[in-house]
Amino acid sequence: MRDVLVIYYSYTGNSEKIAMYVSDKLDADILKLEPVIPFSSDYDEVVEEWQNNNIKKDVSIKKVDIDLAKYKKIVLITCTWWYGISPIMKRFLKDYDLSGKDILVAASNAGWIGHCFEDYRLLLPNSNIKGELDLLFSSSSDERDKLLISYSDIDSWLEKLM
Ligand SMILES: Cc1cc2nc3c(=O)[nH]c(=O)nc-3n(C[C@H](O)[C@H](O)[C@H](O)COP(=O)(O)O)c2cc1C
């Protein structure tokens, strides 16, 4: 039985690409988090609305239809939104209990990771966080999907879960 679950939220696909890599590498199950009401597909619109407080910061997520109790080890990957973990990952960690599990956390970002790891720690008070990964992507608008760390950095992070 697989005992590792990769849980991710990705708006533009960067975190998703790494989540797929991790689930292949660890032969793990994978769970995609999704908002009930999708964000606009227009990147600049989402950035602007978020910045101007026009969209609700406390969003609802689709119900998770997976038995989390089956998994001893969890890998969490989210994009960074305004110096913290995405509101989707926040909502998930508030609604679902990962107490007692061994956990790796990552935040994809464009150079301003802010308080993402503090966010994870605050929302996972009873879990064993084994490793944190700064998943740095390019901030340049024409190559936002360019990963600026190496896959061997990702592999070293994954070893902390084994
Ligand atoms: C609304 C919004 C807010 C963002 N805020 C930050 C930020 O505070 N710091 C940062 O480094 N990148 C920020 N970004 C950029 C993304 O975190 C970065 O491009 C990431 O790689 C995207 O991951 P994804 O493709 O999984 O969504 C923001 C992007 C959006 C859409």
Side-chain angles (χ1 to χ4, degrees), residues 73-101:
K73 298 173 182 180
I74 307 271
V75 180
L76 298 173
I77 307 174
T78 181
C79 42
T80 302
W81 275 19
W82 296 113
Y83 310 102
I85 60 171
S86 69
I88 303 297
M89 182 59 78
K90 258 186 204 154
R91 186 72 264 154
F92 170 76
L93 295 176
K94 285 178 185 167
D95 289 353
Y96 295 88
D97 184 13
L98 301 182
S99 296
K101 299 187 190 295

PDB file of all heavy atoms in Angstrom, residues 73-101:
ATOM      1  N   LYS A  73       3.014   9.649   5.539  1.00  0.00           N
ATOM      2  CA  LYS A  73       3.924  10.696   5.050  1.00  0.00           C
ATOM      3  C   LYS A  73       3.203  11.557   4.010  1.00  0.00           C
ATOM      4  O   LYS A  73       2.542  11.027   3.118  1.00  0.00           O
ATOM      5  CB  LYS A  73       5.155  10.067   4.388  1.00  0.00           C
ATOM      6  CG  LYS A  73       5.970   9.215   5.351  1.00  0.00           C
ATOM      7  CD  LYS A  73       7.060   8.477   4.623  1.00  0.00           C
ATOM      8  CE  LYS A  73       7.831   7.600   5.604  1.00  0.00           C
ATOM      9  NZ  LYS A  73       8.911   6.861   4.954  1.00  0.00           N
ATOM     10  N   ILE A  74       3.405  12.887   4.139  1.00  0.00           N
ATOM     11  CA  ILE A  74       2.708  13.823   3.260  1.00  0.00           C
ATOM     12  C   ILE A  74       3.717  14.831   2.705  1.00  0.00           C
ATOM     13  O   ILE A  74       4.589  15.309   3.433  1.00  0.00           O
ATOM     14  CB  ILE A  74       1.629  14.623   4.050  1.00  0.00           C
ATOM     15  CG1 ILE A  74       0.671  13.696   4.814  1.00  0.00           C
ATOM     16  CG2 ILE A  74       0.900  15.605   3.148  1.00  0.00           C
ATOM     17  CD1 ILE A  74      -0.543  13.237   4.060  1.00  0.00           C
ATOM     18  N   VAL A  75       3.556  15.151   1.424  1.00  0.00           N
ATOM     19  CA  VAL A  75       4.358  16.215   0.807  1.00  0.00           C
ATOM     20  C   VAL A  75       3.387  17.332   0.402  1.00  0.00           C
ATOM     21  O   VAL A  75       2.416  17.079  -0.328  1.00  0.00           O
ATOM     22  CB  VAL A  75       5.112  15.698  -0.441  1.00  0.00           C
ATOM     23  CG1 VAL A  75       5.938  16.821  -1.065  1.00  0.00           C
ATOM     24  CG2 VAL A  75       6.002  14.512  -0.078  1.00  0.00           C
ATOM     25  N   LEU A  76       3.627  18.546   0.890  1.00  0.00           N
ATOM     26  CA  LEU A  76       2.746  19.677   0.599  1.00  0.00           C
ATOM     27  C   LEU A  76       3.468  20.677  -0.310  1.00  0.00           C
ATOM     28  O   LEU A  76       4.587  21.096  -0.003  1.00  0.00           O
ATOM     29  CB  LEU A  76       2.352  20.393   1.894  1.00  0.00           C
ATOM     30  CG  LEU A  76       1.562  19.582   2.928  1.00  0.00           C
ATOM     31  CD1 LEU A  76       1.410  20.388   4.216  1.00  0.00           C
ATOM     32  CD2 LEU A  76       0.196  19.192   2.386  1.00  0.00           C
ATOM     33  N   ILE A  77       2.811  21.036  -1.398  1.00  0.00           N
ATOM     34  CA  ILE A  77       3.419  21.993  -2.343  1.00  0.00           C
ATOM     35  C   ILE A  77       2.363  23.028  -2.732  1.00  0.00           C
ATOM     36  O   ILE A  77       1.256  22.669  -3.143  1.00  0.00           O
ATOM     37  CB  ILE A  77       3.925  21.282  -3.623  1.00  0.00           C
ATOM     38  CG1 ILE A  77       4.848  20.111  -3.264  1.00  0.00           C
ATOM     39  CG2 ILE A  77       4.636  22.275  -4.550  1.00  0.00           C
ATOM     40  CD1 ILE A  77       5.281  19.266  -4.467  1.00  0.00           C
ATOM     41  N   THR A  78       2.707  24.287  -2.595  1.00  0.00           N
ATOM     42  CA  THR A  78       1.785  25.348  -3.007  1.00  0.00           C
ATOM     43  C   THR A  78       2.554  26.501  -3.632  1.00  0.00           C
ATOM     44  O   THR A  78       3.755  26.658  -3.393  1.00  0.00           O
ATOM     45  CB  THR A  78       0.987  25.899  -1.814  1.00  0.00           C
ATOM     46  OG1 THR A  78       0.082  26.909  -2.302  1.00  0.00           O
ATOM     47  CG2 THR A  78       1.873  26.551  -0.764  1.00  0.00           C
ATOM     48  N   CYS A  79       1.841  27.315  -4.388  1.00  0.00           N
ATOM     49  CA  CYS A  79       2.436  28.578  -4.831  1.00  0.00           C
ATOM     50  C   CYS A  79       2.390  29.571  -3.663  1.00  0.00           C
ATOM     51  O   CYS A  79       1.592  29.425  -2.729  1.00  0.00           O
ATOM     52  CB  CYS A  79       1.683  29.136  -6.038  1.00  0.00           C
ATOM     53  SG  CYS A  79      -0.101  29.019  -5.931  1.00  0.00           S
ATOM     54  N   THR A  80       3.244  30.570  -3.751  1.00  0.00           N
ATOM     55  CA  THR A  80       3.277  31.679  -2.785  1.00  0.00           C
ATOM     56  C   THR A  80       2.365  32.778  -3.294  1.00  0.00           C
ATOM     57  O   THR A  80       2.468  33.165  -4.461  1.00  0.00           O
ATOM     58  CB  THR A  80       4.723  32.229  -2.677  1.00  0.00           C
ATOM     59  OG1 THR A  80       5.594  31.179  -2.289  1.00  0.00           O
ATOM     60  CG2 THR A  80       4.812  33.387  -1.697  1.00  0.00           C
ATOM     61  N   TRP A  81       1.489  33.250  -2.458  1.00  0.00           N
ATOM     62  CA  TRP A  81       0.664  34.408  -2.803  1.00  0.00           C
ATOM     63  C   TRP A  81       0.836  35.449  -1.707  1.00  0.00           C
ATOM     64  O   TRP A  81       0.536  35.184  -0.552  1.00  0.00           O
ATOM     65  CB  TRP A  81      -0.815  34.009  -2.941  1.00  0.00           C
ATOM     66  CG  TRP A  81      -1.168  33.474  -4.317  1.00  0.00           C
ATOM     67  CD1 TRP A  81      -0.307  32.983  -5.260  1.00  0.00           C
ATOM     68  CD2 TRP A  81      -2.489  33.380  -4.890  1.00  0.00           C
ATOM     69  NE1 TRP A  81      -1.007  32.596  -6.382  1.00  0.00           N
ATOM     70  CE2 TRP A  81      -2.334  32.828  -6.183  1.00  0.00           C
ATOM     71  CE3 TRP A  81      -3.767  33.705  -4.434  1.00  0.00           C
ATOM     72  CZ2 TRP A  81      -3.430  32.595  -7.023  1.00  0.00           C
ATOM     73  CZ3 TRP A  81      -4.835  33.465  -5.273  1.00  0.00           C
ATOM     74  CH2 TRP A  81      -4.672  32.918  -6.555  1.00  0.00           C
ATOM     75  N   TRP A  82       1.309  36.569  -2.103  1.00  0.00           N
ATOM     76  CA  TRP A  82       1.545  37.665  -1.157  1.00  0.00           C
ATOM     77  C   TRP A  82       2.302  37.219   0.082  1.00  0.00           C
ATOM     78  O   TRP A  82       1.835  37.340   1.192  1.00  0.00           O
ATOM     79  CB  TRP A  82       0.235  38.425  -0.831  1.00  0.00           C
ATOM     80  CG  TRP A  82      -0.231  39.050  -2.110  1.00  0.00           C
ATOM     81  CD1 TRP A  82      -1.352  38.733  -2.804  1.00  0.00           C
ATOM     82  CD2 TRP A  82       0.463  40.002  -2.910  1.00  0.00           C
ATOM     83  NE1 TRP A  82      -1.377  39.417  -3.997  1.00  0.00           N
ATOM     84  CE2 TRP A  82      -0.282  40.212  -4.090  1.00  0.00           C
ATOM     85  CE3 TRP A  82       1.675  40.688  -2.771  1.00  0.00           C
ATOM     86  CZ2 TRP A  82       0.130  41.081  -5.091  1.00  0.00           C
ATOM     87  CZ3 TRP A  82       2.087  41.550  -3.781  1.00  0.00           C
ATOM     88  CH2 TRP A  82       1.307  41.736  -4.908  1.00  0.00           C
ATOM     89  N   TYR A  83       3.490  36.722  -0.195  1.00  0.00           N
ATOM     90  CA  TYR A  83       4.491  36.403   0.848  1.00  0.00           C
ATOM     91  C   TYR A  83       4.068  35.276   1.784  1.00  0.00           C
ATOM     92  O   TYR A  83       4.708  35.051   2.805  1.00  0.00           O
ATOM     93  CB  TYR A  83       4.867  37.658   1.671  1.00  0.00           C
ATOM     94  CG  TYR A  83       5.235  38.826   0.797  1.00  0.00           C
ATOM     95  CD1 TYR A  83       4.340  39.871   0.576  1.00  0.00           C
ATOM     96  CD2 TYR A  83       6.458  38.847   0.156  1.00  0.00           C
ATOM     97  CE1 TYR A  83       4.662  40.926  -0.264  1.00  0.00           C
ATOM     98  CE2 TYR A  83       6.798  39.900  -0.693  1.00  0.00           C
ATOM     99  CZ  TYR A  83       5.893  40.929  -0.896  1.00  0.00           C
ATOM    100  OH  TYR A  83       6.221  41.962  -1.735  1.00  0.00           O
ATOM    101  N   GLY A  84       2.978  34.592   1.446  1.00  0.00           N
ATOM    102  CA  GLY A  84       2.553  33.483   2.301  1.00  0.00           C
ATOM    103  C   GLY A  84       2.077  32.323   1.438  1.00  0.00           C
ATOM    104  O   GLY A  84       2.018  32.429   0.203  1.00  0.00           O
ATOM    105  N   ILE A  85       1.722  31.204   2.086  1.00  0.00           N
ATOM    106  CA  ILE A  85       1.203  30.080   1.305  1.00  0.00           C
ATOM    107  C   ILE A  85      -0.175  30.458   0.751  1.00  0.00           C
ATOM    108  O   ILE A  85      -0.879  31.310   1.313  1.00  0.00           O
ATOM    109  CB  ILE A  85       1.138  28.768   2.143  1.00  0.00           C
ATOM    110  CG1 ILE A  85       0.228  28.891   3.367  1.00  0.00           C
ATOM    111  CG2 ILE A  85       2.542  28.343   2.556  1.00  0.00           C
ATOM    112  CD1 ILE A  85      -0.022  27.556   4.078  1.00  0.00           C
ATOM    113  N   SER A  86      -0.546  29.847  -0.358  1.00  0.00           N
ATOM    114  CA  SER A  86      -1.797  30.226  -1.040  1.00  0.00           C
ATOM    115  C   SER A  86      -3.002  30.052  -0.115  1.00  0.00           C
ATOM    116  O   SER A  86      -2.983  29.203   0.796  1.00  0.00           O
ATOM    117  CB  SER A  86      -1.990  29.346  -2.278  1.00  0.00           C
ATOM    118  OG  SER A  86      -2.267  28.018  -1.868  1.00  0.00           O
ATOM    119  N   PRO A  87      -4.034  30.845  -0.339  1.00  0.00           N
ATOM    120  CA  PRO A  87      -5.242  30.717   0.498  1.00  0.00           C
ATOM    121  C   PRO A  87      -5.875  29.328   0.378  1.00  0.00           C
ATOM    122  O   PRO A  87      -6.563  28.876   1.295  1.00  0.00           O
ATOM    123  CB  PRO A  87      -6.172  31.797  -0.059  1.00  0.00           C
ATOM    124  CG  PRO A  87      -5.651  32.109  -1.417  1.00  0.00           C
ATOM    125  CD  PRO A  87      -4.172  31.873  -1.366  1.00  0.00           C
ATOM    126  N   ILE A  88      -5.614  28.651  -0.738  1.00  0.00           N
ATOM    127  CA  ILE A  88      -6.166  27.303  -0.936  1.00  0.00           C
ATOM    128  C   ILE A  88      -5.496  26.318   0.020  1.00  0.00           C
ATOM    129  O   ILE A  88      -6.158  25.519   0.701  1.00  0.00           O
ATOM    130  CB  ILE A  88      -5.950  26.849  -2.404  1.00  0.00           C
ATOM    131  CG1 ILE A  88      -6.575  27.849  -3.368  1.00  0.00           C
ATOM    132  CG2 ILE A  88      -6.454  25.441  -2.633  1.00  0.00           C
ATOM    133  CD1 ILE A  88      -8.061  27.997  -3.255  1.00  0.00           C
ATOM    134  N   MET A  89      -4.156  26.368   0.073  1.00  0.00           N
ATOM    135  CA  MET A  89      -3.436  25.476   0.995  1.00  0.00           C
ATOM    136  C   MET A  89      -3.776  25.824   2.442  1.00  0.00           C
ATOM    137  O   MET A  89      -3.948  24.940   3.295  1.00  0.00           O
ATOM    138  CB  MET A  89      -1.924  25.585   0.731  1.00  0.00           C
ATOM    139  CG  MET A  89      -1.073  24.662   1.589  1.00  0.00           C
ATOM    140  SD  MET A  89      -1.462  22.898   1.383  1.00  0.00           S
ATOM    141  CE  MET A  89      -0.629  22.512  -0.160  1.00  0.00           C
ATOM    142  N   LYS A  90      -3.908  27.127   2.718  1.00  0.00           N
ATOM    143  CA  LYS A  90      -4.273  27.544   4.087  1.00  0.00           C
ATOM    144  C   LYS A  90      -5.600  26.929   4.492  1.00  0.00           C
ATOM    145  O   LYS A  90      -5.753  26.394   5.588  1.00  0.00           O
ATOM    146  CB  LYS A  90      -4.416  29.069   4.140  1.00  0.00           C
ATOM    147  CG  LYS A  90      -3.234  29.743   4.748  1.00  0.00           C
ATOM    148  CD  LYS A  90      -3.473  31.228   4.929  1.00  0.00           C
ATOM    149  CE  LYS A  90      -2.114  31.893   4.969  1.00  0.00           C
ATOM    150  NZ  LYS A  90      -2.101  33.269   4.559  1.00  0.00           N
ATOM    151  N   ARG A  91      -6.580  27.049   3.592  1.00  0.00           N
ATOM    152  CA  ARG A  91      -7.923  26.512   3.882  1.00  0.00           C
ATOM    153  C   ARG A  91      -7.852  25.002   4.150  1.00  0.00           C
ATOM    154  O   ARG A  91      -8.447  24.491   5.082  1.00  0.00           O
ATOM    155  CB  ARG A  91      -8.848  26.803   2.697  1.00  0.00           C
ATOM    156  CG  ARG A  91     -10.295  26.456   2.861  1.00  0.00           C
ATOM    157  CD  ARG A  91     -11.019  27.403   3.813  1.00  0.00           C
ATOM    158  NE  ARG A  91     -11.109  26.906   5.168  1.00  0.00           N
ATOM    159  CZ  ARG A  91     -11.227  27.670   6.250  1.00  0.00           C
ATOM    160  NH1 ARG A  91     -11.258  28.982   6.164  1.00  0.00           N
ATOM    161  NH2 ARG A  91     -11.292  27.144   7.441  1.00  0.00           N
ATOM    162  N   PHE A  92      -7.072  24.310   3.298  1.00  0.00           N
ATOM    163  CA  PHE A  92      -6.942  22.857   3.469  1.00  0.00           C
ATOM    164  C   PHE A  92      -6.374  22.533   4.857  1.00  0.00           C
ATOM    165  O   PHE A  92      -6.892  21.668   5.571  1.00  0.00           O
ATOM    166  CB  PHE A  92      -6.044  22.271   2.366  1.00  0.00           C
ATOM    167  CG  PHE A  92      -5.688  20.833   2.633  1.00  0.00           C
ATOM    168  CD1 PHE A  92      -6.614  19.827   2.425  1.00  0.00           C
ATOM    169  CD2 PHE A  92      -4.439  20.497   3.137  1.00  0.00           C
ATOM    170  CE1 PHE A  92      -6.308  18.494   2.710  1.00  0.00           C
ATOM    171  CE2 PHE A  92      -4.116  19.178   3.422  1.00  0.00           C
ATOM    172  CZ  PHE A  92      -5.058  18.178   3.207  1.00  0.00           C
ATOM    173  N   LEU A  93      -5.315  23.234   5.236  1.00  0.00           N
ATOM    174  CA  LEU A  93      -4.661  22.907   6.509  1.00  0.00           C
ATOM    175  C   LEU A  93      -5.528  23.280   7.710  1.00  0.00           C
ATOM    176  O   LEU A  93      -5.401  22.692   8.785  1.00  0.00           O
ATOM    177  CB  LEU A  93      -3.286  23.589   6.584  1.00  0.00           C
ATOM    178  CG  LEU A  93      -2.267  23.086   5.551  1.00  0.00           C
ATOM    179  CD1 LEU A  93      -0.970  23.870   5.630  1.00  0.00           C
ATOM    180  CD2 LEU A  93      -1.992  21.589   5.732  1.00  0.00           C
ATOM    181  N   LYS A  94      -6.439  24.242   7.518  1.00  0.00           N
ATOM    182  CA  LYS A  94      -7.372  24.580   8.605  1.00  0.00           C
ATOM    183  C   LYS A  94      -8.470  23.529   8.716  1.00  0.00           C
ATOM    184  O   LYS A  94      -8.960  23.242   9.803  1.00  0.00           O
ATOM    185  CB  LYS A  94      -7.996  25.952   8.359  1.00  0.00           C
ATOM    186  CG  LYS A  94      -7.038  27.104   8.648  1.00  0.00           C
ATOM    187  CD  LYS A  94      -7.689  28.444   8.333  1.00  0.00           C
ATOM    188  CE  LYS A  94      -6.691  29.585   8.507  1.00  0.00           C
ATOM    189  NZ  LYS A  94      -7.172  30.835   7.927  1.00  0.00           N
ATOM    190  N   ASP A  95      -8.876  22.979   7.580  1.00  0.00           N
ATOM    191  CA  ASP A  95     -10.033  22.072   7.567  1.00  0.00           C
ATOM    192  C   ASP A  95      -9.684  20.604   7.804  1.00  0.00           C
ATOM    193  O   ASP A  95     -10.547  19.818   8.172  1.00  0.00           O
ATOM    194  CB  ASP A  95     -10.762  22.161   6.219  1.00  0.00           C
ATOM    195  CG  ASP A  95     -11.496  23.489   6.052  1.00  0.00           C
ATOM    196  OD1 ASP A  95     -11.543  24.259   7.028  1.00  0.00           O
ATOM    197  OD2 ASP A  95     -12.014  23.750   4.948  1.00  0.00           O
ATOM    198  N   TYR A  96      -8.436  20.212   7.513  1.00  0.00           N
ATOM    199  CA  TYR A  96      -8.077  18.785   7.599  1.00  0.00           C
ATOM    200  C   TYR A  96      -6.902  18.612   8.560  1.00  0.00           C
ATOM    201  O   TYR A  96      -5.997  19.438   8.593  1.00  0.00           O
ATOM    202  CB  TYR A  96      -7.738  18.229   6.214  1.00  0.00           C
ATOM    203  CG  TYR A  96      -8.948  18.250   5.294  1.00  0.00           C
ATOM    204  CD1 TYR A  96      -9.233  19.385   4.528  1.00  0.00           C
ATOM    205  CD2 TYR A  96      -9.823  17.172   5.219  1.00  0.00           C
ATOM    206  CE1 TYR A  96     -10.352  19.424   3.699  1.00  0.00           C
ATOM    207  CE2 TYR A  96     -10.942  17.206   4.401  1.00  0.00           C
ATOM    208  CZ  TYR A  96     -11.200  18.334   3.635  1.00  0.00           C
ATOM    209  OH  TYR A  96     -12.317  18.374   2.824  1.00  0.00           O
ATOM    210  N   ASP A  97      -6.952  17.508   9.313  1.00  0.00           N
ATOM    211  CA  ASP A  97      -5.985  17.298  10.385  1.00  0.00           C
ATOM    212  C   ASP A  97      -4.833  16.393   9.929  1.00  0.00           C
ATOM    213  O   ASP A  97      -5.071  15.234   9.570  1.00  0.00           O
ATOM    214  CB  ASP A  97      -6.743  16.659  11.565  1.00  0.00           C
ATOM    215  CG  ASP A  97      -5.860  16.488  12.774  1.00  0.00           C
ATOM    216  OD1 ASP A  97      -4.759  17.075  12.798  1.00  0.00           O
ATOM    217  OD2 ASP A  97      -6.268  15.761  13.702  1.00  0.00           O
ATOM    218  N   LEU A  98      -3.631  16.911   9.974  1.00  0.00           N
ATOM    219  CA  LEU A  98      -2.460  16.108   9.582  1.00  0.00           C
ATOM    220  C   LEU A  98      -1.570  15.825  10.804  1.00  0.00           C
ATOM    221  O   LEU A  98      -0.363  15.596  10.671  1.00  0.00           O
ATOM    222  CB  LEU A  98      -1.665  16.824   8.485  1.00  0.00           C
ATOM    223  CG  LEU A  98      -2.412  17.142   7.173  1.00  0.00           C
ATOM    224  CD1 LEU A  98      -1.475  17.801   6.168  1.00  0.00           C
ATOM    225  CD2 LEU A  98      -3.024  15.879   6.559  1.00  0.00           C
ATOM    226  N   SER A  99      -2.172  15.815  11.995  1.00  0.00           N
ATOM    227  CA  SER A  99      -1.409  15.578  13.230  1.00  0.00           C
ATOM    228  C   SER A  99      -0.679  14.243  13.173  1.00  0.00           C
ATOM    229  O   SER A  99      -1.223  13.246  12.705  1.00  0.00           O
ATOM    230  CB  SER A  99      -2.354  15.526  14.439  1.00  0.00           C
ATOM    231  OG  SER A  99      -2.962  16.758  14.610  1.00  0.00           O
ATOM    232  N   GLY A 100       0.555  14.248  13.672  1.00  0.00           N
ATOM    233  CA  GLY A 100       1.311  13.008  13.817  1.00  0.00           C
ATOM    234  C   GLY A 100       1.989  12.532  12.540  1.00  0.00           C
ATOM    235  O   GLY A 100       2.736  11.560  12.569  1.00  0.00           O
ATOM    236  N   LYS A 101       1.734  13.198  11.433  1.00  0.00           N
ATOM    237  CA  LYS A 101       2.321  12.724  10.174  1.00  0.00           C
ATOM    238  C   LYS A 101       3.691  13.371   9.925  1.00  0.00           C
ATOM    239  O   LYS A 101       3.955  14.477  10.408  1.00  0.00           O
ATOM    240  CB  LYS A 101       1.383  13.052   9.005  1.00  0.00           C
ATOM    241  CG  LYS A 101       0.022  12.364   9.164  1.00  0.00           C
ATOM    242  CD  LYS A 101      -0.824  12.543   7.943  1.00  0.00           C
ATOM    243  CE  LYS A 101      -2.260  12.093   8.148  1.00  0.00           C
ATOM    244  NZ  LYS A 101      -2.427  10.659   8.405  1.00  0.00           N
TER     245      LYS A 101
END
